[in-house]
Amino acid sequence: MGSDRRLAWRGGIALRTAAAIPGGYTLTAGIVALLARSLPMSRLDAAEAATMASFVVFAALVVAAFGVRRLTVLLTGLAVAGATVALALLLVPARP
Amino acid sequence: MKASFRQSMAWLHTWSGLLLGWLLLAIFATGLASYFKAEIHTWMRPELHAPADPVAAMARGVDWIERNIPSVSEISLQAPGPRNPGMEAYWFSDDGYGFGMLDPATGSPHVARDTLGGEFFYRFHFELMLPYPWGRYLAGAAAMTMLIAIVSGIITHKRIFKDFFTFRPGKGQRSWLDLHNVLGVLSLPFHLMISFTGLITLMSLLMPAAVIENYRGDFDAYYAAFDQAAQVSPAGVAAPLTAIEPVLRDAAQRWSDSLSAVRIVAAHDTASRIVVERRLAGRVGYRPDALVYDGVTGRFVAAVPRPGAVVATEETLYGLHMGRFSGALLRWLYALSGLTGYAMIATGLILWVVKRRPRHGTLTAANRVIDRLNAGAVAGLPVAMAAFLLANRLLPFAQEGRAGVETEVFVAALVAMLAASLVAPRRSLWIVLMAIAALAFLALPLVNALTTSRGLNHSLVDGDSVMAAFDATLLMIGLGFGIACAAICRRLRAA
């Protein structure tokens, strides 16, 4: 592999890893906070349910980060998801 | 990424497996040993014997703590059981936290030799001998990586159902791949369950977002929600603790199952409470039932209600990982599944190197080191565990800081095995390391018989089933390593 292609490959891996791990974790945490806030259950039950689900969500995000064919599609998707979750956290009122 | 989704998942599987493979070996080895934590406790404290009356023994334990720990305010004591006669006790006083394994006959923690016992492997499994919370974070990262490795492994494995039990021996890389796949697939439900539930056991540490959101980050308030019975504020007025034994007898009478633990909250205070716990036989859920008694009068206050569906789900997932509910057969299945996991990781690590062997020439220097350290880790972990048990028998009873020295022997043995893997001749590397493992495990029952009165020569005669089975298992493991060693020897000679 030419050095340019190798650099592009490694850059892609680095970007996907960043999308997967810090990116995926942050998005998952946002989703968990949203679920904990809004699930129609007691404070404790909602927190438990959201946290249990978080590992499935995070695993799916990591698989997507390395599985989605085109990098632009991946990054756009993550950005849209992140913006949606952020907006929802702003609009949905916190528990009393 | 790669040309196809499947190839991308293969790449993800390979790298996630390698990065944390050695760590996962250690987690699997100590985890599968921990299914026999109670038996390890027993074997490592041959001075303790099963009590005739567990309730009286528990009362003696609480009494010892009361008499010997000044200003104690919190006590927690596990009942003696058929698998471990000792009573694990924790306490909190003005001098801070204390711990002891209490002798059921006298209630004293000084009868048994000073050792961590099975607790060492158990804590290593999720704390990795690192300070809180870093060990748990690392173990959690390893568990998450394993979950990713499993998911990507499943996606990658073409024809996973058709190829369920494919194994083509004698074909080099192909055979290692087949073996890795078969070991993975054979216990796939277990591996999926154990990695997911492992994450659950650490969940509020690894994903605190929900607690931060719903409890404004007040983790004490969150934990308190699970342990309502212990939420007692000391009134600040001194009052003597009531006699424990009548309270325990009352609880044992209300429940037909045996007691599992007793806890005393805000001891020597008018607000004190005694919480008696039991684990319902056959219930997977990890949190025990509890009866609450007044600590001053000994009167029954209330039974703690069973949790709702969501918390019960979490308890069940937790319980599945711990396997504490299981009988002997299921416990062995847990451990053997863990062993296939260990072998799956080992063959994966070997495969990683085999795939990088060029048709002509040798591995790169870095890959040669990885190749050797693979052997050092796979053989070194069991040897280190055997060395820990050997130290337990060979260190003097009265040695200062004995328990710490045993753990140092574990680390030293592991380091020595890794070092040996780097200097031994490559051709005989696995043979040498397997032979060391065989000798270490075969020596254990012998050393036990020579240094205690509970070796196989006594335990078989006395019907001391835990000690006898433990020694027999050590022999089996030693023989297993011996057979592996001989098999590798034969293959090398034939090649």
Side-chain angles (χ1 to χ4, degrees):
Chain A
M1 204 191 287
S3 64
D4 279 351
R5 280 187 66 194
R6 180 172 292 142
L7 198 61
W9 166 257
R10 288 192 177 160
I13 296 296
L15 208 54
R16 286 179 185 271
T17 308
I21 298 174
Y25 184 87
T26 310
L27 182 56
T28 306
I31 294 170
V32 165
L34 192 59
L35 285 173
R37 186 184 288 187
S38 55
L39 281 173
M41 311 168 178
S42 74
R43 182 182 303 265
L44 178 63
D45 284 351
E48 292 291 272
T51 311
M52 286 191 276
S54 73
F55 302 110
V56 181
V57 171
F58 187 44
L61 287 173
V62 173
V63 167
F66 289 97
V68 169
R69 198 79 168 268
R70 297 173 60 91
L71 214 52
T72 44
V73 170
L74 172 69
L75 294 174
T76 313
L78 283 177
V80 169
T84 312
V85 170
L87 195 65
L89 282 169
L90 281 169
L91 295 176
V92 173
R95 285 181 185 258
Chain B
M1 196 60 213
K2 296 271 191 181
S4 76
F5 183 56
R6 195 167 246 132
Q7 281 176 309
S8 305
M9 290 304 104
W11 183 94
L12 183 59
H13 182 83
T14 300
W15 284 100
S16 57
L18 179 76
L19 277 175
L20 289 171
W22 292 333
L23 185 57
L24 283 166
L25 274 181
I27 291 174
F28 263 81
T30 51
L32 75 94
S34 294
Y35 286 120
F36 297 102
K37 181 170 86 140
E39 285 82 359
I40 297 172
H41 276 321
T42 302
W43 194 89
M44 295 185 78
R45 295 184 183 86
E47 299 85 4
L48 304 184
H49 299 270
D53 182 352
V55 171
M58 289 171 80
R60 256 174 251 134
V62 173
D63 286 342
W64 188 94
I65 296 170
E66 283 267 278
R67 278 184 279 109
N68 291 277
I69 310 293
S71 65
V72 66
S73 57
E74 314 277 323
I75 299 174
S76 163
L77 182 133
Q78 304 289 311
R83 298 169 55 216
N84 173 25
M87 303 183 285
E88 264 183 84
Y90 292 86
W91 56 82
F92 183 75
S93 69
D94 288 350
D95 296 325
Y97 283 103
F99 164 79
M101 186 67 82
L102 310 185
D103 170 36
T106 59
S108 162
H110 303 307
V111 172
R113 61 192 64 191
D114 178 32
T115 176
L116 292 176
E119 194 73 10
F120 174 62
F121 296 145
Y122 174 66
R123 293 216 156 240
F124 187 100
H125 175 69
F126 61 91
E127 286 186 334
L128 308 168
M129 296 179 81
L130 293 173
Y132 180 88
W134 308 106
R136 295 183 193 207
Y137 281 141
L138 191 53
M144 191 69 219
T145 308
M146 181 176 155
L147 189 62
I148 300 294
I150 293 172
V151 170
S152 57
I154 293 170
I155 295 171
T156 279
H157 193 158
K158 278 188 199 174
R159 308 180 350 184
I160 191 169
F161 294 111
K162 281 193 180 144
D163 279 359
F164 218 69
F165 292 114
T166 298
F167 180 57
R168 292 159 288 193
K171 291 203 171 122
Q173 182 178 315
R174 180 87 263 169
S175 306
W176 283 113
L177 179 62
D178 283 351
L179 190 56
H180 180 65
N181 290 350
V182 136
L183 289 166
V185 161
L186 213 56
S187 298
L188 191 55
F190 173 81
H191 296 314
L192 264 174
M193 180 277 289
I194 212 71
S195 49
F196 184 76
T197 57
L199 290 164
I200 297 293
T201 63
L202 293 169
M203 73 179 198
S204 58
L205 190 68
L206 299 175
M207 183 54 72
V211 177
I212 294 170
E213 172 65 37
N214 282 11
Y215 291 86
R216 306 201 202 303
D218 184 355
F219 278 84
D220 288 339
Y222 169 69
Y223 293 135
F226 294 101
D227 195 12
Q228 302 278 0
Q231 300 318 303
V232 166
S233 309
V237 181
L241 194 64
T242 186
I244 281 294
E245 193 164 336
V247 171
L248 296 175
R249 299 259 177 233
D250 184 84
Q253 207 183 14
R254 287 170 190 268
W255 285 330
S256 47
D257 280 294
S258 40
L259 310 178
S260 63
V262 60
R263 291 161 52 206
I264 301 167
V265 190
H268 310 296
D269 186 282
T270 48
S272 67
R273 288 280 182 270
I274 301 168
V275 182
V276 189
E277 297 175 349
R278 71 148 178 197
R279 293 180 176 283
L280 193 58
R283 176 190 285 150
V284 179
Y286 194 64
R287 286 191 195 90
D289 288 330
L291 296 174
V292 185
Y293 292 79
D294 187 294
V296 179
T297 62
R299 244 200 313 259
F300 176 74
V301 171
V304 174
R306 291 302 303 160
V310 178
V311 174
T313 303
E314 183 256 337
E315 277 184 12
T316 302
L317 290 172
Y318 202 110
L320 278 173
H321 194 87
M322 301 298 286
R324 204 172 151 161
F325 66 96
S326 53
L329 178 62
L330 188 54
R331 187 178 310 280
W332 272 101
L333 283 174
Y334 262 105
L336 288 171
S337 301
L339 197 57
T340 56
Y342 189 84
M344 168 185 72
I345 298 167
T347 51
L349 290 168
I350 292 168
L351 182 63
W352 194 93
V353 171
V354 165
K355 276 188 128 177
R356 279 156 185 77
R357 229 181 262 286
R359 214 173 289 268
H360 305 287
T362 54
L363 290 167
T364 64
N367 286 347
R368 280 203 300 276
V369 170
I370 292 173
D371 179 40
R372 284 168 170 274
L373 290 178
N374 279 349
V378 170
L381 279 161
V383 166
M385 291 166 82
F388 178 71
L389 295 176
L390 277 168
N392 174 268
R393 285 299 187 260
L394 297 174
L395 288 171
F397 185 97
Q399 164 139 4
E400 186 71 39
R402 223 184 153 281
V405 178
E406 285 178 356
T407 65
E408 285 163 18
V409 168
F410 174 90
V411 175
L414 184 58
V415 169
M417 287 292 279
L418 290 171
S421 77
L422 291 173
V423 299
R426 178 59 185 88
R427 196 170 158 76
S428 52
L429 178 64
W430 281 91
I431 296 170
V432 167
L433 297 179
M434 291 278 155
I436 295 172
L439 287 171
F441 278 91
L442 290 172
L444 275 165
L446 187 63
V447 170
N448 185 30
L450 290 173
T451 57
T452 72
S453 58
R454 296 183 74 181
L456 269 175
N457 51 335
H458 292 287
S459 57
L460 286 172
V461 171
D462 298 337
D464 191 349
S465 50
V466 172
M467 290 297 278
F470 201 95
D471 276 347
T473 306
L474 293 170
L475 277 173
M476 291 291 118
I477 296 171
L479 283 172
F481 278 114
I483 291 168
C485 187
I488 299 170
C489 236
R490 210 177 309 123
R491 284 207 87 221
L492 270 186
R493 227 172 274 143

